[in-house]
Amino acid sequence: MTGPTGETGPTGPAGTAEMSYGYGRTVNATNANPGTNNTVTFAGPLTHGDVTNEGDAFSVTAGTYQVTLSARSESTSTAIWWVDTASDYTAHPGSQLSFPAAASPSAAVTGSVTFVTTVTDGAIFRPRYVSGTQANFRDVQLTVVKLAG
């Protein structure tokens, strides 16, 4: 025999949202040459949720994103990279990464830039080499994490 139903307890905490992110990195063993499009293609990118890999970029839905671009330069010339919007050669504000010249190819220079941006209609994040010597970059990495939206 079953007894009467007891009182309903308090409502539990809200569940956690599923994280949306993407991470791409160029092959470590060889120098990356951005080539004619001045972009790189990621080997083994990881995509999750509202962030989708497109080979040389990540596309995203509306929301607020934290984006980090990092690279290692073995170039003996200065160089600039940035993260494109959907328009080629149009940088997301705050995304420029400037490299000083390395003293020699074996004296690599590393750098990174992190920025936060709000996307209203969807966008892309594509690392693009924009000036300096094109060759001798390793470990070009792009990480995109959705913070809100």
Side-chain angles (χ1 to χ4, degrees):
M1 178 176 246
T2 304
T5 302
E7 292 183 31
T8 301
T11 302
T16 57
E18 190 171 292
M19 186 177 219
S20 293
Y21 61 90
Y23 167 77
R25 179 177 151 221
T26 60
V27 178
N28 185 30
T30 58
N31 283 333
N33 182 342
T36 57
N37 292 327
N38 294 341
T39 62
V40 294
T41 300
F42 297 120
L46 179 60
T47 300
H48 194 70
D50 295 334
V51 182
T52 304
N53 172 46
E54 295 184 350
D56 68 347
F58 288 100
S59 64
V60 298
T61 61
T64 300
Y65 293 85
Q66 177 177 297
V67 180
T68 300
L69 170 63
S70 63
R72 178 177 148 202
S73 173
E74 296 180 355
S75 175
T76 55
S77 298
T78 59
I80 295 174
W81 287 71
W82 67 43
V83 180
D84 273 355
T85 65
S87 299
D88 290 351
Y89 293 98
T90 302
H92 282 280
S95 71
Q96 183 170 307
L97 176 56
S98 299
F99 287 99
S104 69
S106 62
V109 178
T110 59
S112 67
V113 62
T114 298
F115 63 98
V116 174
T117 187
T118 299
V119 172
T120 56
D121 295 324
I124 67 160
F125 298 106
R126 174 185 293 121
R128 187 177 299 273
Y129 154 85
V130 291
S131 76
T133 300
Q134 258 194 355
N136 298 325
F137 291 93
R138 293 179 184 254
D139 298 326
V140 179
Q141 298 177 44
L142 185 67
T143 305
V144 179
V145 178
K146 188 171 187 179
L147 302 176

